[in-house]
């Protein structure tokens, strides 16, 4: 897949006064040598807090390759994206995760004859970030994409996406009508209301467009059949940013098919429909045949009329001109490749012991669900080709990769043995911090110990009184919620976090925790890998002897590592028996601690707690939100002073209307404006 490079190319250059220290210089040298030598697999076994991300950043700077960083959840991906942006402020660092705030996949349960229709709530801001990622890959070389496993799911063909883009420049000869037709052909929607990403409006001799990848508006003014002026406008303040000579506009959707190819695809879908209907009739499945016929013909009618239908991705094989079973296009397809078609980019798989199994498990579950839908006439057989990549396909498409983990899994060890490329250890931290001391205490009441929860409260109270934070893990989501409530009732400022908490809220909770807005964070599995919380002084693992996934060797070592970023960090394990996993985790932690202490003594190092500025990828989202609220307040405060009740009534009505059409972004802006107006009023 070729790319176009419109911007002047910028080399990867780390922007920080920080220099590699501890085991980092040796690790960087070994990893760079491995990439240069052409090694496909390398593993950085770096303890928590040893600066694996900084090491990886130095490798990127040295090898100068576009880079994909894969994380196993959105929260960790957001944190990594912010870290890489700090390291590479002059390069293109983007965030690519699933754009669903809520997603219920289409499914059918034969035992109860229950059809579950696909339900999804798309986060427009995350969709914008996804478009920014693909457009950066097609137009620049200095790109780092931090992605979740969403990167292995189907995406439109990059060639078609690239082919459909439009160069618009001052002096360009076209009519206003022709431009409007072009925008519709690029899946932009016309509106007379406020612009949102992927929309345009036309007033008089001007056309205003909001692209999908940035929150700006391009205003094109016509003189006859010529674009006389292009103005770039801030979408919130409406202030003029600049007057560019040219800009490049990409389609509003990733799934793009030219008209001639769409007709061929429709013919193929009709042929497949006829074949499947004939099969159902031979099998006596008349209900399934009728169901499939109605669904498919309805979808085809929409595709003919507007070029799109809900669930169009289920026909993607036909639109992409792929053969049955052939792998779909994904984000990996947008990265550069050699003329021979081999991947020409670097991949860093963060917390690989979790991310690799996750990548490996995506295909089977999706296949099972789709086959059930096909069998009962809800989808054509080609729907199974709208799928995530199989693990073997992922391996082919990733090229050179570096796995980073404090606890590499069996896959990483197998690759090291097969390729005879040794694990690269990063045990010594630049800060001189050592692995925490471990205290093992009983779960139940024994002698002077009052039981794990009471003992934890006593220990946590001391730590919080000193101004530090406390982290504790439970075995289930319900236990996390109940414990958080229990601690709140006893006056401890506490919040819980687990996978049911949505993406943006999770990031907010973690930032509030670091800021000291609350003192104790309770979680389950989500707290283990990669979360950078240097304010945590005490980590308590409840029910540490309950052998299983959450109390395995890997899980215990990772959780213990949450206390390794603070010089006073310590861990309390509550266990009545010593399991094999507990014994390994304790012994490995002590081994690393001894190496670290010896290094510090030899080099005269005094450990220091990591000092890290609190930043978040959500800050830019919130800034735009706050600016919009401020703009509205500037207008509405005068009206509110004249008639408060009328203004608030109108605002509440507008908020309800926004909620009714699922425009939660507008509703949130109106909600915050109402709060600000009422807080200004001494009568309320």
């Amino acid at each position: 897949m070729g790319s176009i490079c419109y911007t002047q190319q910028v080399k990867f250059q780390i922007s920080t006064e920080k220099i590699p220290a501890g085991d980092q210089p040796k690790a960087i040298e070994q990893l760079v040598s491995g990439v240069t030598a052409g090694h496909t697999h390398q593993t950085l076994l770096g303890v928590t807090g040893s600066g694996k991300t900084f090491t990886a950043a130095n490798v990127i700077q040295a090898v100068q390759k576009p880079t994909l960083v894969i994380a196993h959840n959105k929260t960790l991906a957001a944190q990594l994206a912010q870290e890489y942006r700090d390291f590479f402020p002059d390069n293109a660092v983007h965030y690519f995760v699933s754009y669903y705030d809520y997603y219920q996949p289409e499914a059918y349960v034969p035992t109860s004859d229950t059809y579950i229709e696909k339900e999804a709530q798309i986060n427009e801001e995350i969709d914008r970030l996804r478009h920014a990622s693909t457009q950066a890959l097609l137009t620049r070389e200095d790109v780092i994409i931090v992605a979740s496993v969403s990167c292995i799911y189907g995406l439109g063909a990059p060639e078609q996406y690239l082919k459909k883009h439009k160069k618009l420049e001052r002096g360009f000869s076209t009519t206003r009508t022709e431009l409007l037709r072009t925008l519709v052909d690029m899946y932009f929607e016309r509106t007379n209301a406020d612009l949102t990403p992927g929309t345009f409006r036309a007033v008089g001799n001007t056309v205003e467009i909001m692209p999908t990848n940035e929150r700006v508006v391009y205003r094109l003014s016509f003189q006859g059949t010529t674009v006389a002026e292009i103005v770039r406008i801030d979408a919130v303040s409406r202030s003029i940013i600049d007057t560019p000579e040219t800009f490049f506009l990409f389609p509003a959707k990733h799934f793009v098919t030219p008209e001639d190819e769409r007709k061929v695809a429709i013919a193929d879908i009709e042929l497949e429909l006829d074949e499947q209907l004939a099969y159902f009739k031979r099998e006596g499945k008349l209900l399934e045949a009728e169901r499939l016929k109605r669904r498919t013909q309805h979808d085809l009618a929409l595709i003919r009329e507007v070029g799109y239908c809900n669930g169009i991705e289920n026909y993607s094989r036909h639109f992409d001109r792929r053969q049955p079973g052939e792998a779909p296009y994904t984000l990996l397809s947008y990265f550069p490749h050699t003329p021979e078609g081999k991947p020409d980019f670097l991949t860093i798989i963060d917390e690989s012991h979790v991310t690799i199994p996750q990548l490996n498990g995506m295909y089977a579950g999706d296949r099972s669900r789709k086959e059930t839908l096909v069998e009962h006439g809800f989808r054509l057989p080609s729907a199974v080709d709208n799928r995530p990549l199989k693990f073997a396909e992922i391996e082919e498409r990733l090229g050179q990769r570096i796995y980073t983990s404090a606890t590499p899994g069996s896959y990483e060890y197998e690759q090291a043995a097969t390729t005879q490329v040794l694990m690269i250890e990063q045990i010594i931290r630049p800060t001189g911090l050592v692995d925490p001391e471990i205290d093992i205490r009983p779960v139940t009441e024994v002698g002077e110990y009052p039981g794990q929860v009471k003992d934890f409260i006593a220990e946590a109270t001391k730590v919080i009184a000193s101004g530090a934070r406390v982290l504790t893990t439970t075995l289930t989501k319900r236990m996390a919620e109940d414990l958080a409530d229990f601690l709140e009732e006893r006056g401890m400022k506490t919040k819980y976090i687990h996978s049911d908490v949505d993406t943006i809220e999770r990031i907010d909770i973690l930032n509030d925790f670091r800021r000291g807005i609350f003192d104790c964070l309770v979680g389950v599995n989500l707290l283990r890998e990669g979360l950078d919380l240097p304010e945590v002084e005490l980590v308590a693992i409840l029910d540490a002897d309950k052998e299983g996934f959450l109390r395995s060797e890997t899980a215990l070592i990772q959780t213990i590592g949450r206390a390794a970023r603070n010089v006073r960090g310590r861990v309390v394990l509550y266990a009545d028996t010593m399991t094999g996993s507990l014994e390994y985790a304790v012994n490995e932690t002590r081994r690393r601690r001894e190496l670290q202490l010896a290094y510090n003594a030899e080099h005269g190092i005094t450990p220091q707690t990591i000092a890290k500025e609190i930043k978040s990828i959500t800050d830019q989202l919130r800034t735009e939100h706050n600016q919009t609220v401020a703009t509205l307040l500037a207008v509405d405060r005068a009206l509110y002073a004249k008639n408060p009740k009328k203004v608030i009534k109108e605002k509440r009505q507008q908020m309800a209307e926004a909620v009714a059409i699922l425009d939660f972004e507008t509703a949130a802006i109106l909600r915050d404006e109402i709060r600000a107006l009422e807080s200004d009023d001494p009568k309320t």
Side-chain angles (χ1 to χ4, degrees):
M1 196 277 300
S3 64
I4 44 177
C5 296
Y6 298 128
T7 59
Q8 183 177 354
Q9 294 312 301
V10 180
K11 285 190 173 184
F12 286 112
Q13 182 64 50
I14 294 176
S15 177
T16 177
E17 295 178 359
K18 189 169 156 186
I19 59 172
D23 276 349
Q24 289 176 341
K26 179 182 66 176
I28 293 165
E29 182 183 353
Q30 290 176 300
L31 289 167
V32 171
S33 296
V35 173
T36 306
H39 295 319
T40 301
H41 306 275
Q42 294 189 89
T43 298
L44 175 63
L45 194 165
V47 298
T48 301
S50 64
K52 294 188 289 294
T53 305
F54 184 55
T55 296
N58 276 274
V59 173
I60 294 170
Q61 178 180 253
V63 302
Q64 291 293 318
K65 280 178 173 286
T67 302
L68 170 64
V69 181
I70 306 178
H72 64 88
N73 65 52
K74 292 179 178 180
T75 307
L76 179 54
Q79 178 178 306
L80 288 169
Q82 189 58 57
E83 288 184 13
Y84 280 108
R85 284 178 180 175
D86 289 343
F87 290 139
F88 297 105
D90 298 323
N91 303 112
V93 179
H94 292 283
Y95 178 63
F96 187 97
V97 297
S98 168
Y99 52 31
Y100 296 119
D101 277 340
Y102 169 76
Y103 181 64
Q104 168 61 59
E106 181 184 28
Y108 178 66
V109 184
T111 52
S112 58
D113 190 27
T114 304
Y115 171 68
I116 304 169
E117 193 167 358
K118 173 183 170 181
E119 287 185 57
Q121 181 179 315
I122 292 177
N123 184 311
E124 289 186 358
E125 183 62 22
I126 293 179
D127 190 32
R128 181 183 71 79
L129 295 173
R130 286 166 64 92
H131 278 280
S133 297
T134 51
Q135 291 175 29
L137 285 170
L138 294 174
T139 59
R140 300 182 64 148
E141 294 175 353
D142 60 325
V143 182
I144 298 171
I145 307 294
V146 182
S148 66
V149 294
S150 176
C151 67
I152 67 165
Y153 278 77
L155 204 60
E159 287 84 0
Q160 298 297 348
Y161 186 70
L162 182 59
K163 190 187 300 181
K164 204 79 171 176
H165 88 285
K166 186 78 175 173
K167 180 181 181 181
L168 296 169
E169 56 188 335
R170 191 166 66 85
F172 181 69
S173 181
T174 185
T175 66
R176 176 179 173 278
T177 302
E178 286 172 349
L179 177 60
L180 299 187
R181 285 201 193 104
T182 298
L183 291 172
V184 171
D185 191 42
M186 294 172 70
Y187 303 97
F188 280 79
E189 294 181 10
R190 187 169 184 172
T191 181
N192 292 320
D194 289 339
L195 291 172
T196 56
T199 63
F200 71 94
R201 63 186 170 204
V203 180
N205 68 338
T206 66
V207 177
E208 292 188 335
I209 310 164
M210 183 178 283
T212 53
N213 65 319
E214 53 183 339
R215 285 278 186 179
V216 298
V217 174
Y218 287 95
R219 178 187 292 157
L220 281 67
S221 300
F222 282 84
Q223 284 186 355
T225 60
T226 302
V227 177
E229 185 183 41
I230 300 173
V231 180
R232 191 157 66 112
I233 303 169
D234 184 279
V236 177
S237 67
R238 302 294 297 178
S239 60
I240 293 175
I241 300 171
D242 56 21
T243 54
E245 289 292 309
T246 183
F247 74 97
F248 297 90
L249 193 65
F250 280 80
K253 297 184 185 298
H254 279 115
F255 289 95
V256 176
T257 308
E259 179 64 30
D260 55 340
E261 293 186 22
R262 188 187 308 160
K263 290 178 180 177
V264 175
I266 289 172
D268 286 349
I269 294 168
E270 290 175 328
L271 179 61
E272 185 187 14
L273 175 62
D274 290 342
E275 291 172 352
Q276 188 68 358
L277 291 178
Y279 165 75
F280 277 146
K281 287 171 184 175
R282 286 197 306 272
E283 296 294 316
K285 294 185 172 183
L286 301 182
L287 173 62
E288 287 82 351
E290 182 62 25
R291 180 186 286 154
L292 182 65
K293 182 179 178 181
R294 290 190 179 189
R295 157 66 68 85
T296 309
Q297 288 182 343
H298 175 263
D299 287 349
L300 288 174
L302 283 172
I303 293 169
R304 286 191 185 96
E305 290 297 319
V306 298
Y308 196 79
C309 73
N310 286 330
I312 193 171
E313 64 273 10
N314 289 290
Y315 305 105
S316 61
R317 191 190 84 197
H318 295 292
F319 289 104
D320 294 342
R321 315 308 301 147
R322 288 183 282 127
Q323 295 300 311
E326 190 177 346
Y329 295 105
T330 66
L331 178 68
L332 308 185
S333 309
Y334 286 74
F335 277 86
H337 291 70
T338 66
E340 297 75 33
K342 293 183 178 179
D344 192 20
F345 60 96
L346 181 66
T347 300
I348 296 168
I349 301 184
D350 197 77
E351 303 297 348
S352 56
H353 63 284
V354 177
T355 309
I356 291 292
Q358 192 177 64
L359 291 170
N360 200 6
M362 293 293 104
Y363 173 77
D366 182 85
R367 177 85 183 192
S368 175
R369 178 174 58 83
K370 295 274 178 58
E371 285 178 341
T372 302
L373 288 167
V374 171
E375 180 184 349
H376 293 87
F378 291 96
R379 287 290 171 194
L380 290 171
S382 57
V384 300
D385 289 318
N386 166 44
R387 60 175 176 82
L389 295 174
K390 301 174 185 176
F391 192 65
E393 294 167 341
I394 297 170
E395 290 186 301
E396 291 172 2
R397 286 160 176 75
L398 285 183
Q400 289 185 291
R401 67 209 79 149
I402 296 171
Y403 312 105
T404 69
S405 174
T407 51
S410 57
Y411 178 83
E412 296 91 296
Y413 278 105
E414 286 168 9
Q415 297 305 324
T418 303
T419 59
Q420 296 184 329
V421 177
L422 298 176
M423 294 271 175
I424 298 166
E425 282 199 340
Q426 190 167 288
I427 304 296
I428 309 301
R429 298 181 176 89
T431 55
L433 285 171
V434 299
D435 277 30
E437 291 186 0
I438 296 176
D439 188 3
I440 302 174
R441 302 185 183 184
V443 174
T444 53
E445 292 193 37
V446 177
E448 62 185 79
Y449 292 104
Q452 63 177 355
V453 174
K454 289 181 182 177
D455 185 77
F456 165 68
I457 291 173
E459 289 296 323
T461 302
K462 295 179 205 171
V463 171
I464 292 168
S466 72
R469 268 24 121 241
V470 176
L471 194 64
T472 184
T473 62
T474 63
L475 287 170
T476 67
K477 297 174 188 176
R478 180 63 181 271
M479 288 170 69
E481 294 173 11
D482 289 347
L483 179 59
D485 290 342
F486 183 80
L487 296 174
E488 277 281 344
E489 289 169 4
R490 277 144 188 80
M492 190 181 297
K493 290 186 287 185
T494 308
K495 286 189 181 293
Y496 68 83
I497 188 170
H498 53 59
S499 58
D500 286 349
V501 179
D502 72 49
T503 309
I504 301 299
E505 188 180 354
R506 267 180 264 170
I507 300 168
D508 285 341
I509 289 171
L510 290 170
N511 287 330
D512 287 348
F513 181 53
R514 291 197 60 202
R515 291 185 180 106
I517 293 173
F518 63 97
D519 304 309
C520 178
L521 183 61
V522 184
V524 191
N525 188 34
L526 188 64
L527 295 179
R528 294 190 291 111
E529 293 89 3
L531 295 176
D532 194 351
L533 306 168
E535 295 78 13
V536 171
E537 189 174 307
L538 172 67
V539 171
I541 303 177
L542 304 182
D543 300 302
D545 56 356
K546 298 296 187 289
E547 188 78 83
F549 172 69
L550 293 176
R551 298 296 182 263
S552 65
E553 297 171 0
T554 297
L556 289 168
I557 289 175
Q558 289 284 348
T559 309
I560 289 168
R562 296 312 105 210
R565 288 179 167 89
N566 191 299
V567 73
R568 291 185 296 275
R570 60 193 180 91
V571 176
V572 178
L573 301 174
Y574 291 98
D576 289 333
T577 58
M578 284 297 290
T579 63
S581 294
L582 263 176
E583 194 168 337
Y584 175 85
V586 170
N587 289 339
E588 176 62 12
T589 301
R590 286 173 180 164
R591 178 188 79 87
R592 295 176 180 182
R593 181 179 170 84
E594 287 171 6
L595 289 172
Q596 294 153 355
L597 288 170
Y599 182 90
N600 287 351
E602 181 183 346
H603 294 83
I605 294 173
T606 301
Q608 295 180 345
T609 298
I610 292 173
K612 186 160 187 167
E613 188 179 353
I614 303 170
K615 289 187 177 182
S616 167
I617 196 168
T618 59
D619 288 348
Q620 65 190 65
L621 279 63
R622 192 167 292 102
T623 297
E624 292 169 357
H625 172 95
N626 292 341
Q627 286 175 344
T628 305
V629 173
T631 301
L632 290 173
L633 283 170
V635 175
D636 293 333
R637 274 199 170 108
L639 298 173
Y640 182 81
K642 294 179 181 178
N643 194 336
K645 288 185 179 179
K646 181 181 178 182
V647 170
I648 294 298
K649 183 178 179 181
E650 288 177 353
K651 293 292 176 184
R652 291 193 186 281
Q653 178 63 33
Q654 291 170 14
M655 185 170 69
E657 290 171 357
V659 170
I661 62 173
L662 305 183
D663 185 0
F664 298 112
E665 185 176 350
T666 299
I669 290 168
L670 290 164
R671 176 203 64 199
D672 289 351
E673 188 195 6
I674 291 168
R675 287 175 180 172
L677 289 170
E678 291 180 334
S679 68
D680 288 347
D681 192 341
K683 299 175 186 176
T684 59

